[in-house]
């Protein structure tokens, strides 16, 4: 790989693996804890939902050819019982009048992330620790949810191994929908801080 391509790749990983997830952890930590206090008006929610579906469809299309990576690792990302639907998803689904049955903020909570990372590290080094039950949506044939209905996190998360395998060209193409997913989170955050239920400030 050329030096330019390597630098591009490092920048992408820093932007969409380290910083992206750190920003979502930060945004969630500052969200009101009560998701029932949805401040998004209906027209905003419909717009966010359209954009969410578009961005997720684009991401899933772009990574279709890398599907074997997840098959090879046995779909490790789906092997945790923690909810992938977060409060951000709930703001959209609740705003559309079909609230999610299950969601939680645990996956973007720093204490949980640290404890879970520690648990994995101990298991890797010592072999001690039970296999956790998988995600509630996992079936023997894979995820039971249609791609467009999956949590935003499931569309926008890539592990380091995955990121190493994506070509620089595909990374460039992925940046746009990932940015869109991040913008959606930011707009939800801004609206949630607005007690009047007005559209999020531009
Ligand atoms: S993103 Fe990585 S860890 Fe997750 S299922 Fe795919 S290859 Fe496995
Ligand atoms: S919702 Fe589907 S893709 Fe996401 S972790 Fe669960 S089984 Fe995997």
């Amino acid at each position: 790989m050329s030096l330019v391509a390597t630098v591009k790749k490092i920048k992408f990983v820093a932007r969409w693996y380290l910083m992206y997830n750190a920003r979502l952890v930060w945004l969630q930590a500052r969200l009101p804890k009560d998701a029932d206090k949805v401040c998004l008006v209906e027209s905003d929610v419909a717009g966010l939902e359209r954009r969410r579906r578009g961005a997720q469809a684009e991401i899933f299309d772009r990574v279709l050819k890398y599907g074997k990576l997840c098959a090879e690792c046995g779909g490790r990302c789906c092997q945790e019982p923690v909810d992938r639907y977060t409060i951000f998803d709930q703001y959209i689904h609740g705003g559309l009048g079909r609230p999610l049955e299950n969601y939680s903020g645990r996956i973007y909570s720093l204490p949980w992330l640290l404890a879970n990372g520690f648990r994995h590290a101990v298991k890797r080094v010592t072999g001690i620790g039970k296999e956790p039950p998988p995600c509630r949506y996992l079936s023997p044939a894979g995820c039971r949810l249609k791609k467009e209905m999956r949590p935003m996190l499931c569309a926008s998360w890539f592990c380091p191994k995955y990121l190493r395998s994506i070509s620089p060209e595909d990374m460039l193409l992925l940046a746009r929908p990932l940015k869109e997913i991040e913008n959606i989170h930011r707009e939800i955050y801004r609206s949630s801080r607005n007690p009047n239920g007005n559209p999020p400030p531009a």
Side-chain angles (χ1 to χ4, degrees):
M1 195 190 299
S2 73
L3 183 64
V4 175
T6 306
V7 170
K8 275 187 185 165
K9 214 159 188 185
I10 291 170
K11 278 168 79 177
F12 185 92
V13 171
R15 174 94 174 83
W16 296 113
Y17 177 69
L18 298 173
M19 299 309 295
Y20 173 77
N21 288 294
R23 282 191 296 274
L24 295 196
V25 168
W26 171 243
L27 284 180
Q28 180 181 273
R30 299 176 66 211
L31 270 180
K33 299 292 170 252
D34 185 359
D36 291 335
K37 289 186 184 157
V38 177
C39 297
L40 295 162
V41 297
E42 211 177 316
S43 56
D44 294 326
V45 184
L48 287 177
E49 171 68 348
R50 209 168 32 250
R51 287 167 52 200
R52 180 193 71 77
R53 281 177 182 248
Q56 289 197 189
E58 195 174 338
I59 292 171
F60 282 125
D61 275 358
R62 300 262 179 241
V63 298
L64 209 52
K65 60 180 151 186
Y66 299 103
K68 68 172 181 353
L69 293 171
C70 300
E72 278 165 14
C73 95
R76 202 159 357 113
C77 287
C78 306
Q79 304 294 335
E80 299 260 4
V82 66
D83 278 307
R84 272 43 167 217
Y85 280 128
T86 69
I87 194 167
F88 293 101
D89 296 281
Q90 175 66 342
Y91 268 93
I92 295 180
H93 290 262
L96 289 170
R98 45 173 170 76
L100 297 162
E101 280 179 24
N102 305 287
Y103 71 93
S104 109
R106 210 150 54 110
I107 205 154
Y108 283 139
S109 119
L110 203 50
W112 183 84
L113 284 170
L114 294 174
N116 199 45
F118 180 72
R119 185 175 63 75
H120 279 294
V122 169
K123 183 150 189 339
R124 243 191 328 270
V125 174
T126 66
I128 297 170
K130 284 192 296 188
E131 282 303 324
C135 168
R136 68 176 85 241
Y137 300 110
L138 190 64
S139 76
C143 184
R144 284 192 284 112
L145 301 172
K146 287 184 184 159
K147 285 182 179 168
E148 72 271 17
M149 293 312 293
R150 289 182 193 167
M152 283 190 272
L153 178 62
C154 297
S156 60
W157 164 258
F158 300 102
C159 73
K161 173 185 137 186
Y162 208 112
L163 289 169
R164 277 200 305 277
S165 307
I166 297 180
S167 71
E169 297 73 31
D170 286 330
M171 283 184 164
L172 272 179
L173 295 171
L174 275 171
R176 199 208 70 79
L178 285 172
K179 178 76 188 151
E180 180 76 320
I181 295 273
E182 180 177 343
N183 285 341
I184 290 168
H185 282 78
R186 285 186 183 283
E187 287 174 37
I188 290 170
Y189 166 73
R190 285 202 298 265
S191 289
S192 74
R193 311 289 294 184
N194 183 348
N196 301 319
N198 290 329

